[in-house]
Amino acid sequence: MEFGFSEEQKKLMAEMREFCINELPEDYDPEYSGRFQEAETQAFWKQFHQKGVEKGWPTAGWPTKYGGLGFSAMEQAAVSSEMAYWGARWGGIMAMTLVAPTVLTSGTEEQKEKWIPPIARGEITAFECFTEPDAGSDEANVQLRAVPDGDEYVLNGQKTFISGGTKPDWLYTLCKTADVTPKHRGLSIFMVPGDAPGVSYRPLPTMGGSQQNEIFYDNVRVPKENLLGELNRGFYLAMTTFEFERAAGGGLGARRSMEKIMEYARQEKRNGKPLHKDPKARDMLARMAIHKHLEFLFGWYTAWHRSQREKLGPQHYNSGTLWHRLWQTFDGEQFGRVFGMYTQLRQKSKYAKYHGRPGRTWEYMHAIHAAGSPEIRRVVIADRGLGLPRIPRQFNVQINEALRQG
Ligand SMILES: Cc1cc2nc3c(=O)[nH]c(=O)nc-3n(C[C@H](O)[C@H](O)[C@H](O)COP(=O)(O)OP(=O)(O)OC[C@H]3O[C@@H](n4cnc5c(N)ncnc54)[C@H](O)[C@@H]3O)c2cc1C
């Protein structure tokens, strides 16, 4: 089956392409310099964002009432797919893609008025602070406490594995606010200033080369109005955020990635011949091309599902990013086997070839756990997407106990 784009989508994509070509530096290499952790890169995306604001691009998919253009999910995907191809992103990426959609879906009117305009202008950076040492897959087990005290809440506890580079403006923090059974009904989300007294950060480097954070909250005081949504409904907000995170266009940038891998395979030589003429490499590249094409189609499938959210419910389109991650891992491993030891070098190594792009394929493997491990995503798809019987509670309790005991 061949999928095509409507005239309207083609027009949008052409406009976005032109915008990216005009605004990105000529030598810009998305896979080499696009990491959002670095302060310099963040500053660049902030000004890129502000140029986009003039056209309404960053918030195109938001309702017009909140400064958006009211684009449908498919129109939004047309914009995102072109951005993904060029490796472009808006400023304050996590605030834009995670906090804002959640506030728009589940926040009160006052919260929308407070948070949406500055996020739309790209002025706010935020970290998504959910995971704790004993609350990853078992998200409901969050132990970071928020206790009311007058007009404020006092927060104590720890988060771990949190993504993001320079210190954020806000910490979008999942807290425990009640001791109840089931425990997910006792959680709430607070917006905590990133520089609030009592907040401290410790870098947590991963084997994949990314820099995660451990964040400690020591008697951190936040005003009551920083509670997002309703008290003790934070778990549902967190699941809404995951929904946006897991559906975030995974795969729409796959075409560019394949083109770059082919560029590498053509330039690199083995036994005096270009790599892409090596039978083993060709086999691997063909497999990778199939995966990348499927990733691309999944990106559009995800967008279509999103456009049908009212009818189909939220959880179906999880599958796109799940496959994106699984293929990235599989391909990364194969890539390393076929293309040799250079693929093990990090991007910044002086010995790395071709800007370390081959290594990027391998490095990406570490990201498979972000926003939920593949096992958990399968559980979500089976349970909420396909309506299969739920896993008996006792089974999950046993898994969690085993994980806690190490
Ligand atoms: C690169 C990266 C970026 C991240 N960024 C963020 C971030 O910005 N914010 C944030 O809050 N968190 C972030 N995380 C944390 C991430 O969400 C967790 O790592 C993930 O949810 C898994 O939790 P865990 O690491 O505690 O593993 P565990 O929950 O301890 O799981 C360990 C293993 O057991 C399996 N398992 C657990 N329970 C079950 C079950 N019931 N059934 C079957 N299998 C099960 C899991 O699949 C996994 O393989 C990030 C992680 C990574 C690696």
Side-chain angles (χ1 to χ4, degrees), residues 61-194:
W62 296 5
T64 43
K65 188 175 171 198
Y66 301 104
L69 299 177
F71 275 20
S72 69
M74 293 299 275
E75 288 168 327
Q76 177 66 54
V79 173
S80 308
S81 101
E82 210 51 48
M83 283 184 74
Y85 180 86
W86 294 100
R89 55 173 58 105
W90 302 123
I93 186 76
M94 285 199 264
M96 278 291 293
T97 55
L98 305 181
V99 181
T102 310
V103 173
L104 284 169
T105 313
S106 315
T108 62
E109 214 42 55
E110 296 83 65
Q111 287 167 350
K112 288 176 193 168
E113 274 164 28
K114 177 172 178 183
W115 297 107
I116 294 302
I119 295 179
R121 292 192 296 270
E123 288 168 5
I124 287 185
T125 57
F127 285 2
E128 176 200 60
C129 304
F130 293 171
T131 305
E132 297 182 6
D134 279 335
S137 304
D138 186 15
E139 197 70 81
N141 197 44
V142 158
Q143 299 299 317
L144 192 149
R145 282 260 166 197
V147 179
D149 183 24
D151 289 340
E152 296 174 319
Y153 274 86
V154 182
L155 275 54
N156 278 292
Q158 180 196 346
K159 296 290 173 185
T160 190
F161 270 119
I162 308 304
S163 301
T166 47
K167 302 268 180 326
D169 299 316
W170 295 94
L171 302 168
Y172 178 63
T173 307
L174 186 61
C175 306
K176 183 169 184 155
T177 38
D179 287 298
V180 288
T181 308
K183 46 192 182 179
H184 72 271
R185 297 216 180 121
L187 304 181
S188 308
I189 292 191
F190 290 87
M191 290 295 274
V192 181

Side-chain angles (χ1 to χ4, degrees), residues 13 35 39 48 59 134 149 182 319 402:
M13 287 159 95
R35 302 199 129 192
F48 180 82
T59 54
D134 279 335
D149 183 24
S319 47

Side-chain angles (χ1 to χ4, degrees), residues 380-397:
V380 174
I381 292 169
D383 175 21
R384 281 177 244 166
L386 302 174
L388 294 173
R390 300 196 77 164
I391 293 174
R393 197 175 162 273
Q394 190 50 31
F395 182 66
N396 277 332
V397 170

